[in-house]
Amino acid sequence: MVIKEAVSISADVKPRPVVYIISDSIGETAELVVRAAASQFNGGNVEIRRVPYVNDTSEIPEIVEEASHFNSLIAYTLVLPILRETIAAEAKKHGVITVDIMGPTLDALTQLEGRQPKLEPGLVRKIDQEYFRKVEAIEFAVKYDDGKDPRGITRADLVIIGVSRTSKTPLCMYLAHKSIKVANVPLVPEVAPPEEIFSLPHHKVIGLTISPSQLNEIRQERLKSLGLTSHADYASMERILKELDYAKKVMEKAGCPIIDVTNKAVEETASRVMEIYYKGERLGR
């Protein structure tokens, strides 16, 4: 029996027309189209039989031959021309009605785009999966921002460490849009860093540093935006040097790569981070 799945639109037990849905993926698209069309006939009193993952011409004759024994039609979403041609030929031989849902749209878009399609089954689902991975990574970056929850360190693809105002959060969000789950941990002399960062593979922890003078400027601007005096200890050169020295020692202990973000755009830093991360993943470090 070739049918992988059968779904009834109506509970009516009388003999009904049968719509065979043949797809090189799971057949969701064709089923939605058939259901939408059937709704114009009060549900159409039709039975839907889905035949997913058809990727070989040798599978088609048996399916069409079976369909010929019913009052049926075949709706199909197949990207490979050879599969569409085989169905058309077999259906003509057996007198079965067919509806090519994908083919005409592919042909029209080929004319519009002026180039050939990839002809790779299941790309919509791959795109959807990529989208959801990106959303998950963004949610992860928000949840584990600024060391809010140390559990994020062991769950992250990457951990960014550095003193305040080294663009850790913007960097994490940028990387999240690349579907990388990133947590960040601020380094403060008065607070011991989470021990977890010292047990991670070196390429999964990235330290950020910056020139003292630029950090001083950034912090002074931050204080002004908050309506505070620029002479606060947070922006003093003495405090900045102390923090940077402390952060350097933590990074050296972690054995992680260190990136100087002085005068660098987030995109530039992210490019370097991804280079380090993916190289480490390839080498299995």
Side-chain angles (χ1 to χ4, degrees):
M1 186 69 173
V2 298
I3 303 305
K4 312 289 196 313
E5 181 177 349
V7 183
S8 294
I9 289 181
S10 170
D12 193 344
V13 296
K14 294 186 296 183
R16 294 169 291 172
V18 178
V19 178
Y20 283 76
I21 291 175
I22 302 178
S23 174
D24 47 26
S25 186
I26 63 174
E28 280 182 333
T29 302
E31 182 171 341
L32 285 171
V33 172
V34 170
R35 286 182 179 277
S39 70
Q40 299 299 314
F41 300 89
N42 295 321
N45 191 31
V46 300
E47 178 183 347
I48 294 179
R49 297 183 181 179
R50 208 196 294 183
V51 190
Y53 303 115
V54 175
N55 294 293
D56 194 312
T57 55
S58 64
E59 302 174 65
I60 292 172
E62 184 182 356
I63 302 168
V64 177
E65 195 275 332
E66 179 179 318
S68 70
H69 296 299
F70 299 91
N71 179 27
S72 68
L73 70 81
I74 296 174
Y76 55 96
T77 48
L78 299 165
V79 298
L80 295 177
I82 186 63
L83 295 178
R84 300 201 302 269
E85 292 164 6
T86 303
I87 283 187
E90 289 295 321
K92 184 177 181 180
K93 185 191 304 182
H94 291 282
V96 178
I97 301 169
T98 62
V99 181
D100 183 355
I101 295 173
M102 182 72 74
T105 305
L106 277 173
D107 293 341
L109 283 172
T110 298
Q111 294 181 43
L112 184 66
E113 293 275 359
R115 55 191 173 123
Q116 294 299 311
K118 293 180 178 179
L119 299 179
E120 182 180 339
L123 281 182
V124 169
R125 292 187 65 80
K126 290 180 182 178
I127 291 171
D128 287 346
Q129 289 169 1
E130 289 173 6
Y131 169 77
F132 287 116
R133 278 199 298 270
K134 183 185 296 185
V135 170
E136 186 179 2
I138 292 170
E139 291 176 345
F140 187 94
V142 171
K143 183 174 181 179
Y144 297 111
D145 180 46
D146 208 30
K148 292 174 184 174
D149 187 342
R151 291 176 298 181
I153 295 173
T154 55
R155 297 172 182 173
D157 297 322
L158 267 174
V159 179
I160 304 297
I161 60 176
V163 302
S164 174
R165 313 313 295 177
T166 47
S167 298
K168 295 187 300 298
T169 297
L171 175 61
C172 289
M173 294 306 298
Y174 185 94
L175 293 169
H177 279 83
K178 302 294 183 182
S179 302
I180 302 174
K181 294 180 181 178
V182 192
N184 75 79
V185 178
L187 298 179
V188 184
E190 293 77 17
V191 180
E195 285 298 318
E196 290 86 348
I197 67 173
F198 302 115
S199 60
L200 292 175
H202 294 172
H203 73 283
K204 289 195 172 186
V205 182
I206 304 290
L208 302 183
T209 190
I210 190 172
S211 74
S213 58
Q214 185 170 6
L215 184 56
N216 175 258
E217 292 176 11
I218 293 171
R219 288 191 175 183
Q220 285 190 13
E221 289 300 318
R222 176 59 175 165
L223 289 174
K224 288 178 184 177
S225 69
L226 296 173
L228 302 173
T229 173
S230 60
H231 299 295
D233 184 53
Y234 174 73
S236 72
M237 189 58 74
E238 181 182 356
R239 173 67 186 184
I240 285 171
L241 291 171
K242 179 181 178 180
E243 287 188 26
L244 289 173
D245 182 62
Y246 170 75
K248 182 181 179 182
K249 291 176 180 176
V250 172
M251 294 172 195
E252 288 175 347
K253 181 180 177 182
C256 66
I258 302 173
I259 299 175
D260 189 337
V261 300
T262 305
N263 296 321
K264 282 188 174 68
V266 170
E267 295 84 355
E268 188 179 353
T269 303
S271 177
R272 178 62 182 140
V273 168
M274 288 187 289
E275 180 185 340
I276 294 169
Y277 171 67
Y278 286 122
K279 182 178 180 181
E281 288 292 282
R282 287 196 304 271
L283 297 176
R285 292 176 180 172

